Amino acid sequence: MRRSPYKICLKKQIDVAKFTSDIITQQLSKNKNSVLGLATGSTPEQTYRELVKRHLPHQKDWSHVRTINLDEYVGLDKNNPQSYHYYMHFHLFNHVGLPECNTFLPDGTSSDPISEGQAYEQRIIDLGGIDLWLIGIGSNGHIAFNEPGSSRDSRTRLVNLSDQTIIDNSRFFEKKTTVPTQAITVGIATIMEAKRIILIATGKKKSKAIYAALKGPVGPDCPASFLREHPNCTFVVDEAAAILCRNNFV
Ligand code: F6R
């Protein structure tokens, strides 16, 4: 038996999406009251499309599932098409019959981000913890919006986005100057408490971050490297993302 993190390399992005949606579907079959941690961004879009496809013919029951998202931009309300609230409804929630009251994201418009962060942590505890957290990775190795330099003990909080993240995410906005510069994000400690973590990465632009996460030192320079200390974490990547450390993957 290989040790966590388990490393799986598949040919293409669509294979990563199918594999990952199978894992999530299995989780829901095992426990229809599952608490899923979810991510936004380009990478999970195809996974969500696959989940919606699997939901349609079998009417997989999502009515008892609860979801917790990684993060939300500061200053964007939930009706803003660039907000992560909007993204999640657009790509997943609206298509699988997930009751609105079962879905949770940080409130990026909160006037009191400290209380918002504490309440979010408490919410996760009240839900009984996260059964499976699907996460992505930034080109600089961030997980959620825990940018390089973030502490292993970090919890849900207000953060400044790094220049690299602002540049990377400007593709979702009209121009770079309209990208929010802050977010409310769960912390590394919050993610590490999930029972199971699936990190997905696709494309060559993620290859350096995947290399640093798996082969570099474990520490705040590459926040994703902390996942090597999690007992049940799987990296699922495509060949392009694995290119710098292909031998580490099955
Ligand atoms: C998204 C999130 C981020 C993204 C990461 C990769 O909720 O927390 O960490 O997972 O920035 O984004 P994409 O998939 O757009 O490359």
Side-chain angles (χ1 to χ4, degrees):
M1 177 85 176
R2 282 173 168 261
R3 284 184 48 227
S4 176
Y6 312 106
K7 302 171 212 77
I8 293 167
C9 177
L10 301 164
K11 199 162 179 55
K12 294 195 183 135
Q13 188 177 8
I14 183 66
D15 304 316
V16 170
K18 286 184 174 165
F19 186 87
T20 308
S21 52
D22 282 346
I23 294 177
I24 295 173
T25 307
Q26 282 158 17
Q27 172 65 39
L28 300 191
S29 300
K30 205 168 69 182
N31 176 9
K32 67 182 169 88
N33 301 310
S34 290
V35 180
L36 296 181
L38 297 174
T40 61
S42 309
T43 319
E45 276 181 26
Q46 258 188 334
T47 300
Y48 295 146
R49 270 202 293 279
E50 289 299 316
L51 280 172
V52 171
K53 272 196 216 158
R54 282 159 175 65
H55 168 71
L56 289 176
H58 310 295
Q59 289 298 310
K60 176 99 6 225
D61 183 11
W62 283 70
S63 60
H64 301 280
V65 174
R66 280 78 41 82
T67 65
I68 285 276
N69 262 81
L70 288 170
D71 38 27
E72 178 59 283
Y73 288 119
V74 164
L76 302 192
D77 75 48
K78 48 175 78 165
N79 299 317
N80 187 313
Q82 264 77 42
S83 73
Y84 288 165
H85 276 82
Y86 191 97
Y87 171 108
M88 288 310 304
H89 284 82
F90 183 82
H91 289 288
L92 185 67
F93 297 164
N94 291 350
H95 311 287
V96 292
L98 188 53
E100 172 82 25
C101 60
N102 286 3
T103 67
F104 303 99
L105 289 97
D107 177 3
T109 63
S110 168
S111 58
D112 182 357
I114 294 182
S115 304
E116 177 64 19
Q118 287 165 347
Y120 207 65
E121 290 285 330
Q122 188 58 48
R123 167 85 62 201
I124 297 173
I125 294 169
D126 294 345
L127 290 173
I130 309 287
D131 293 303
L132 187 162
W133 211 322
L134 173 67
I135 68 174
I137 183 170
S139 67
N140 62 358
H142 73 212
I143 48 174
F145 279 133
N146 295 285
E147 300 286 21
S150 299
S151 146
R152 164 71 177 77
D153 301 328
S154 52
R155 294 275 169 192
T156 307
R157 67 202 187 287
L158 176 70
V159 293
N160 295 324
L161 301 183
S162 70
D163 290 346
Q164 185 61 56
T165 297
I166 292 172
I167 292 167
D168 288 348
N169 288 7
S170 62
R171 68 190 192 280
F172 298 111
F173 292 81
E174 230 172 273
K175 34 188 185 261
K176 190 183 152 210
T177 48
T178 54
V179 185
T181 56
Q182 293 186 309
I184 297 183
T185 181
V186 299
I188 295 174
T190 326
I191 295 172
M192 293 292 279
E193 280 168 3
K195 295 185 186 89
R196 185 175 184 190
I197 300 172
I198 309 290
L199 180 142
I200 55 173
T202 58
K204 198 169 161 214
K205 64 185 181 306
K206 296 295 171 66
S207 57
K208 281 191 184 149
I210 290 296
Y211 180 86
L214 292 175
K215 303 296 287 173
V218 172
D221 286 353
C222 176
S225 65
F226 287 116
L227 298 171
R228 278 159 46 199
E229 295 177 346
H230 191 278
N232 190 357
C233 173
T234 307
F235 280 53
V236 186
V237 310
D238 68 0
E239 286 183 352
I243 199 150
L244 299 178
C245 48
R246 184 68 188 87
N247 293 343
N248 287 264
F249 285 85
V250 289

